[in-house]
Amino acid sequence: MPAPKILVIPGSLRSGSHNARLAALATKELTLAEVDVTRISLEDYPLPLFDADLAASGPPLAAAQLKRMLIAHQGVFITSPEYSASVSPLLKNAIDWISRVREAGEPTYAAFKGRVFALGSASSGTGGGIRSLMALRQILELGCGALVIPEQVAVPRADLAFDDLDDLKDETLAAALKAAVRRLIALAGVMP
Ligand SMILES: Cc1cc2nc3c(=O)[nH]c(=O)nc-3n(C[C@H](O)[C@H](O)[C@H](O)COP(=O)(O)O)c2cc1C
């Protein structure tokens, strides 16, 4: 069986983003496991703030491109900053737009239903952004019908959490990331 294709999406565009750093580490772990991994930046998919009237006149090209990226992969790893105890507006906006791109005859939420998702978060706060993961899990599972694995990693005090090689210093957190990556690969490998 060919190696599954995994897409990594950091949910922040901030320079020096902790979630971009966590996404880079997830990409490294996936690469070490010899899967076919692609990391994108939402910067390359500029989207206006979602507006149903705009959507009615046809979703932007970037929304269709993002959806195609998801469809081309069996697994998706998302890292999510926590904003006001929830997901970043960047991530929510992208998910809402992707969910509105629908080819004729295609079932709803096609980009989400056929693949498996793993989640991680990082925050300079002590909670590690875990509330953003709860919100993101709800959006993906209940909102979009996705399969989200239970293994996840939430990195607190992210400004201090990485060493010079950009690995996680804390062994428990490093093990949580590896466990999420392992399960993502295993389930992505059996996706149609
Ligand atoms: C508007 C706003 C709201 C925030 N709310 C929270 C929060 O509820 N919990 C938390 O841990 N951090 C919160 N933060 C801090 C961010 O999670 C933190 O800056 C994080 O590093 C952002 O992710 P990034 O480094 O990947 O850009 C908030 C930041 C902003 C700008």
Side-chain angles (χ1 to χ4, degrees):
M1 198 166 21
K5 296 178 75 173
I6 310 282
L7 184 66
V8 179
I9 308 177
S12 171
L13 299 182
R14 189 178 70 81
S15 56
S17 160
H18 302 308
N19 286 279
R21 208 168 180 188
L22 183 60
L25 181 55
T27 304
K28 184 171 100 174
E29 296 289 354
L30 288 159
T31 305
L32 288 171
E34 298 187 352
V35 299
D36 185 348
V37 55
T38 306
R39 177 160 45 112
I40 60 169
S41 168
L42 291 175
E43 189 173 18
D44 296 324
Y45 300 87
L47 289 165
L49 190 58
F50 184 85
D51 173 332
D53 288 341
L54 263 184
S57 58
L61 181 63
Q65 289 171 332
L66 257 181
K67 181 189 166 191
R68 273 202 296 277
M69 282 303 281
L70 259 71
I71 298 262
H73 295 79
Q74 291 86 45
V76 184
F77 196 112
I78 301 178
T79 60
S80 172
E82 181 167 300
Y83 277 22
S84 306
S86 191
V87 298
S88 64
L90 175 77
L91 208 45
K92 180 63 162 57
N93 196 47
I95 291 170
D96 284 343
W97 271 118
I98 294 166
S99 76
R100 295 299 106 175
V101 181
R102 199 168 162 201
E103 310 299 328
E106 191 178 53
T108 54
Y109 302 106
F112 298 97
K113 285 179 177 161
R115 45 216 32 85
V116 57
F117 290 75
L119 311 181
S121 64
S123 169
S124 44
T126 52
I130 198 158
R131 295 175 301 178
S132 80
L133 296 189
M134 292 161 67
L136 184 54
R137 188 173 286 280
Q138 173 167 312
I139 292 163
L140 290 170
E141 287 184 342
L142 300 183
C144 303
L147 170 64
V148 184
I149 61 168
E151 292 83 356
Q152 64 181 24
V153 60
V155 180
R157 297 306 315 269
D159 45 330
L160 304 172
F162 295 89
D163 66 19
D164 293 343
L165 296 174
D166 275 348
D167 287 316
L168 286 165
K169 292 181 196 165
D170 184 280
E171 283 179 15
T172 306
L173 291 175
L177 175 63
K178 285 181 203 293
V181 162
R182 267 199 309 275
R183 178 66 73 96
L184 177 63
I185 295 170
L187 290 187
V190 295
M191 283 285 155

